[in-house]
Amino acid sequence: MAAAGIIVYRNVDNHPEFLGLIALKRDRKRVGGKYDIPKGQIENGEGVLVAALRECFEECGLTPKVKGEPFIRGKSTVWLGEVDADDEVIIEKNPVTGYLEHEGYEWINPSKMKRNCLSYLRPHIVWAEKEIWKYF
């Protein structure tokens, strides 16, 4: 199934920080890595960007300002999205399943995110680490 997501960042004193959602232990063990991004499946009749924004709001309570063109790899489409430095991240249970999808979050530099993201997300984070400098 097709998926959409957003690599969320903020600008702190002209230094980018990525939002690293702490993956559930089972997911960390299964695929390797620690950090996830807000993402999920595109629902029937839903546009790709609409799905990415919905997933982002559901998973961390943020509605970022989407920047530039997306990165597409296989069935996954990901955008960069900026939030204000003081925007509050809210981790709650999925409104449909009732399950918690992440154990928490950390704001981290792009290099740390690249080294420690879930393994299948690495190409997306490598792209974002290069792309982000267009906005600073």
Side-chain angles (χ1 to χ4, degrees), residues 4-68:
I6 300 179
I7 298 171
V8 178
Y9 76 93
R10 66 182 185 179
N11 180 340
V12 178
D13 298 324
N14 269 342
H15 292 89
E17 292 183 339
F18 284 166
L19 175 63
L21 299 177
I22 300 172
L24 298 175
K25 188 175 182 178
R26 69 168 191 256
D27 295 330
R28 295 192 311 259
K29 188 174 181 178
R30 181 173 51 88
V31 299
K34 177 179 180 180
Y35 299 112
D36 197 0
I37 63 169
K39 63 178 176 7
Q41 293 182 353
I42 301 167
E43 296 177 356
N44 284 340
E46 190 174 44
V48 181
L49 180 55
V50 170
L53 289 166
R54 175 186 51 76
E55 287 289 344
C56 191
F57 187 76
E58 286 177 3
E59 293 186 15
C60 63
L62 297 172
T63 305
K65 297 175 204 96
V66 173
K67 304 287 189 168

Side-chain angles (χ1 to χ4, degrees), residues 92-109:
E92 295 182 327
K93 292 179 180 178
N94 180 295
V96 176
T97 66
Y99 294 113
L100 200 59
E101 296 181 2
H102 300 98
E103 293 181 0
Y105 71 94
E106 293 176 27
W107 288 104
I108 53 179
N109 69 52

Side-chain angles (χ1 to χ4, degrees), residues 69-82:
E69 297 298 316
F71 176 76
I72 302 170
R73 184 167 193 259
K75 294 183 177 183
S76 176
T77 303
V78 174
W79 281 266
L80 267 176
E82 184 179 16

